[in-house]
Amino acid sequence: MDVKKTIKKYILVTIFIIMMAVSQTLSLKADIGVCACWDSISLNVYQLTGFKVGTFSIVGNLICVLVQILMLRRDFHPIRFLQIPVAIIFGVVVNFVYYRVLTFELHGYPMRLLFWALSYLGLAVFIGGLNLLGAVQIPVEGMYYTASSKYGVDFAKLHITCDALLIATSLSLSFLFGLSIKIREGTIGGMLVLGPLTKWCMSWEKKFIHE
């Protein structure tokens, strides 16, 4: 194993995770529909309890790692434990950027739309980079892949079903407790563009990441 290449790979992984978190906070700030259905519930919980979005993300992602351990048991490869620092880094960065850096108000829908677009462009670039490196998965995605392979469930259908359940949960919380609705046009638009945009980004990232 080339130690220098391994070190370089995990430095890139860390940078991509940090930048993914930053990109995601731009969507939170835009507030025209969060980019991840998970975030909609995080914001609902924050409105109800003051429990920070990034902290909720850490807890939720650690639960996803635990679910993988329970599903795989002895087949849980130690490399998967890297998902734990990924979850912590991601959540800490989200909390810092969202609550300490993006403290200003966005005036006007065009500015909100710009933040939304930058969010998805950033997510596509850095998710694409992580996919090409193949070093570690985001915990929630790792859980989906594990369930899909172990129980023979179609990955895409499982992902869509879970997203639908998260959307339904968020909307239910909003209506039951009179909270602002976090599932909006930005959420739907993001679900349509993120996959193709990530694929396009990966097509030109290959020559840089695989050099």
Side-chain angles (χ1 to χ4, degrees):
M1 182 182 291
D2 191 320
V3 175
K4 287 185 178 180
K5 284 186 177 180
T6 301
I7 292 173
K8 179 182 176 182
K9 175 185 283 189
Y10 284 101
I11 288 173
L12 282 174
V13 166
T14 304
I15 292 171
F16 288 166
I17 292 295
I18 290 171
M19 294 311 298
M20 274 180 61
V22 172
S23 299
Q24 195 147 319
T25 59
L26 297 179
S27 178
L28 294 172
K29 187 64 180 181
D31 198 24
I32 59 171
V34 291
C35 61
C37 301
W38 184 283
D39 283 343
S40 61
I41 297 178
S42 300
L43 288 170
N44 291 147
V45 171
Y46 177 68
Q47 288 176 301
L48 286 169
T49 66
F51 199 67
K52 290 184 177 180
V53 174
T55 308
F56 184 90
S57 174
I58 292 172
V59 173
N61 277 308
L62 291 180
I63 290 173
C64 290
V65 177
L66 178 60
V67 170
Q68 292 175 62
I69 293 172
L70 293 174
M71 285 193 289
L72 294 173
R73 298 183 182 276
R74 292 182 179 179
D75 293 328
F76 186 89
H77 196 283
I79 196 70
R80 288 175 177 256
F81 281 113
L82 287 176
Q83 294 175 80
I84 294 175
V86 166
I88 294 171
I89 292 169
F90 190 91
V92 168
V93 173
V94 167
N95 276 346
F96 177 75
V97 176
Y98 188 57
Y99 297 104
R100 298 289 185 87
V101 178
L102 301 180
T103 55
F104 51 87
E105 292 295 323
L106 291 181
H107 300 289
Y109 192 83
M111 184 58 69
R112 293 183 182 279
L113 192 60
L114 175 62
F115 266 60
W116 175 88
L118 290 173
S119 171
Y120 274 93
L121 180 58
L123 285 170
V125 169
F126 300 116
I127 289 174
L130 276 178
N131 289 341
L132 289 172
L133 288 170
V136 64
Q137 290 178 310
I138 301 298
V140 65
E141 296 294 325
M143 183 181 69
Y144 291 155
Y145 276 113
T146 300
S148 174
S149 59
K150 184 173 179 63
Y151 301 110
V153 181
D154 182 80
F155 176 79
K157 291 180 180 178
L158 176 63
H159 207 308
I160 291 170
T161 300
C162 290
D163 281 349
L165 289 173
L166 290 170
I167 288 172
T169 300
S170 178
L171 290 174
S172 298
L173 289 171
S174 294
F175 291 130
L176 284 172
F177 296 100
L179 307 175
S180 58
I181 296 176
K182 299 302 178 184
I183 303 295
R184 291 179 52 186
E185 67 275 17
T187 308
I188 306 304
M191 290 172 68
L192 294 174
V193 305
L194 184 58
L197 190 57
T198 300
K199 184 178 180 180
W200 176 78
C201 288
M202 288 175 67
S203 69
W204 59 262
E205 284 179 297
K206 284 181 182 179
K207 58 185 176 182
F208 300 107
I209 291 178
H210 285 171
E211 281 185 346

